[in-house]
Amino acid sequence: MSDGAWWWAAFAIAAAAAQTVRNAAQRELTRTLGTVGATHVRFLFGFPFAVVFLGLIVAATGTWPPAPPAAFWPWVVSGAVTQIVATALMLAAMGERSFLVVTAYTKTEPVQVALFGLVVLGDAVTLPMIAAILIATVGVVLMSLRPGQAGLQTGGLRPMLLGLGSAALFAVSAIGYRGAILTIPAGFVTAASTTLCLALMIQAVLLSAWLALRDRAVLIAVLKAWRPSLLAGFMGAFASQLWFLAFALTAAANVRTVALVEVLFAQAVSRFAFGQRATARELFGITLIVAGVVLLLWVH
């Protein structure tokens, strides 16, 4: 395999690093803007940067992107809507558990894809796959327990369910975006950038309209907080640009495997930026989650 064939891995690693910074910035904005407001920041302030990215590509190639076909829209809309809800669930979970722990919850995404395949599509599940799912599940349970608890109580169960729900919707979103990219008859860079631009436009319009109707005060607060929101917006658009480039080159499962390095980045941010120390139990749980996900994708 030529070196160029591994560009998707480089894109995924860089995207994981950028996404960690974006998540940390959004987490801080949750304190002043609330969960929905901080969720909106990612899309509203990310959209202009996505337009800039697409403009640079058009200038470099001298070619305008083709009009997306009809098959593009169901894919991109499903990806955009599920990503909105997934982001909101993730930020809500981060308000109750540490940055590192919630990031690890979201990394169960590939495991959930296998479970969805079994329940919805009737895909066969082998013994090694069952072992991988059980290993990752034990890791999630270990992380959900707090010192002194005899079992899963509200303090541990609620953020766990929020994190796992977020992972499930991120999985659906990734599939939607890859499907959208593959429908555009253009090079992978143009197809990925066009999809990103239109997805962020849909998300910015939907959330702006929802807030304008339901909670105008939050929308005003988001607009007033434009300075601290620029970092989250830029890093969000930059991470998405890299994710989409990776999705254009290989299957989403491959990209999500490499994305597990985000847990390591999150551990560094959690320790040095937020002063949150992971317990030995939580670190062991993270290890089991990563091991289970890697084993699952390896046996595939």
Side-chain angles (χ1 to χ4, degrees), residues 22-34 38 91 94 99 228 273-274 276:
R22 185 212 65 208
N23 288 344
Q26 278 187 290
R27 180 184 184 276
E28 290 300 287
L29 288 168
T30 303
R31 303 175 188 273
T32 55
L33 301 178
L91 292 176
M94 284 181 178
F99 181 79
F274 300 136
Q276 299 171 335

Side-chain angles (χ1 to χ4, degrees), residues 58 104 146 150 200 252 280-281 290:
V58 170
R146 296 180 183 230
L200 284 174
R281 186 193 67 262
V290 173

